[in-house]
Amino acid sequence: MPRVRELEVFRLILPYGRRPETILVRLTDYGGMAGWGEIVDPGPKTWELLQERLGHALIGVDWEHPDELGDVPGGAAADMACWDLWARMSGVPLSHALGGSRTSLMATVRIGAERNLESLVARVNRHVCAGYAHVTLDVHPGWDIEPVRAVRKAYPALGIGVDARRAYTDIGALAALDAYTLSSIERPFVDLTHHADLQERVAAPVLLDVSSAAELDEAITLNAGRALLLRPAAVGSLREVRRMHDDAVAAGWEIACSGGQGTGLARAATVAAASLPGCGLPCDVAEPPRSAQIVTPPVGASDGVVAVPLTQPGLGHNVDVTRVRRLARESYAS
């Protein structure tokens, strides 16, 4: 039975890109076992919420399973830490604790818009040579049909998805992309009604990014797509992640898991979720660089494949606590 004796919370500014922020939570039980969690790009009040409420909710409280705790203050980071601690104490990998069965995952790599088609094809070539069998191309109005056509011509057998980042208001160009045998059309519109209209016109599944089971159920009711982009770090709890997975499977939807940001902890949870049986579309855990991670082994793809860690309990990775403390802008313990 887990019983938290101490908690530590760290606010980190990560050394890449636009220096994103992340918050880590470490829970330690009375036997010295520790569980870790992460929330990437936290809201403005997350830090204060953790300080005010997390200790009261967890320290000294007896529980048998993370599901008993309900909505833990602090969202994904604290919930993930509870699952990691419980799985470590139970001696099982987090993937198995969630109901996962996959041992490896096909990875995709996201490729942004380039200056010209030659540069785009050259960039895709580098990833194909590195072992990737699937790429996800960023598209936007004015940069869609020509780049997809160029990549498909260069690589007839390559798996290709497109991410529209909600940039479209018109169905026409996206519907035309269906001629290039896409694995998915991701986040095309803001409005669910437009998603439903597009799905009626294309064979590729429209891939929706929603952050709760309620939003997913609405999309299913509207026939707004046929695939779910499941991002565990953006969902409040792993309990909700499993519910969304089950609802999508029951509706006959495909699932792609994504979570490329952070220090590696959130990505490890994404890998565990992607091992669930319904997550058949390529997963995205390819970024940021491994040098930014605080876990060993680092989370990422090798030859286009992501291994699901099964030899260690919990998240399956060791945390470099010294590096966490060095990167932390502020921290506190209870």
Side-chain angles (χ1 to χ4, degrees):
M1 175 185 294
R3 195 179 192 198
V4 176
R5 169 176 57 86
E6 179 185 21
L7 67 86
E8 295 178 272
V9 184
F10 307 89
R11 187 202 298 262
L12 280 65
I13 305 298
L14 300 179
Y16 62 85
R18 298 183 178 179
R19 300 182 66 79
E21 179 180 314
T22 191
I23 292 177
L24 306 183
V25 172
R26 183 190 193 191
L27 305 177
T28 305
D29 85 321
Y30 280 81
M33 187 77 73
W36 288 83
E38 177 176 25
I39 184 168
V40 183
D41 292 330
K45 296 185 178 181
T46 302
W47 183 259
E48 290 76 13
L49 179 64
L50 287 166
Q51 285 183 308
E52 293 171 4
R53 297 180 55 193
L54 186 58
H56 296 295
L58 291 180
I59 293 179
V61 176
D62 293 325
W63 45 281
E64 294 284 351
H65 190 276
D67 283 348
E68 297 174 14
L69 295 170
D71 295 327
V72 182
D79 178 80
M80 189 188 305
C82 290
W83 275 93
D84 185 34
L85 176 60
W86 180 83
R88 289 177 188 270
M89 294 185 69
S90 301
V92 298
L94 180 60
S95 59
H96 287 179
L98 293 174
S101 56
R102 300 175 189 273
T103 60
S104 63
L105 314 168
M106 177 185 287
T108 189
V109 60
R110 295 184 180 271
I111 299 178
E114 287 284 352
R115 292 168 297 183
N116 55 61
L117 297 178
E118 292 77 13
S119 297
L120 174 65
V121 173
R123 190 173 173 192
V124 170
N125 180 68
R126 289 196 295 272
H127 291 296
V128 171
C129 291
Y132 281 91
H134 189 280
V135 298
T136 300
L137 305 178
D138 279 355
V139 296
H140 57 258
W143 179 264
D144 39 42
I145 295 174
E146 291 302 322
V148 172
R149 178 188 293 136
V151 174
R152 174 57 73 215
K153 181 178 179 180
Y155 299 98
L158 181 66
I160 302 174
V162 296
D163 183 0
R165 298 180 181 270
R166 302 185 178 93
Y168 286 79
T169 57
D170 179 68
I171 293 175
L174 291 171
L177 292 177
D178 204 42
Y180 300 100
T181 318
L182 300 180
S183 62
S184 63
I185 300 173
E186 182 178 335
R187 302 186 292 185
F189 308 107
V190 174
D191 186 359
L192 285 179
T193 302
H194 284 88
H195 287 84
D197 292 342
L198 176 62
Q199 187 63 90
E200 286 186 356
R201 293 182 56 179
V202 298
V206 175
L207 182 59
L208 270 67
D209 181 8
V210 296
S211 57
S212 71
E215 291 180 17
L216 173 61
D217 291 344
E218 179 185 4
I220 291 171
T221 299
L222 293 174
N223 295 315
R226 288 206 312 272
L228 166 66
L229 182 65
L230 186 57
R231 297 189 296 128
V235 179
S237 68
L238 290 174
R239 180 183 72 255
E240 185 82 345
V241 167
R242 289 192 307 178
R243 179 183 169 189
M244 292 172 70
H245 165 273
D246 294 348
D247 288 352
V249 170
W253 283 34
E254 299 180 76
I255 304 172
C257 281
S258 176
Q261 299 300 310
T263 64
L265 287 170
R267 280 195 276 182
T270 298
V271 170
S275 74
L276 287 165
C279 301
L281 291 175
C283 70
D284 172 22
V285 294
E287 295 181 1
R290 295 189 177 203
S291 60
Q293 298 192 40
I294 52 91
V295 298
T296 54
V299 186
S302 177
D303 296 326
V305 175
V306 180
V308 179
L310 300 173
T311 59
Q312 295 185 55
L315 287 167
H317 301 265
N318 298 315
V319 178
D320 186 342
V321 182
T322 301
R323 186 154 195 255
V324 170
R325 299 190 189 282
R326 187 169 67 248
L327 289 172
R329 290 294 181 91
E330 60 181 315
S331 64
Y332 75 89
S334 297

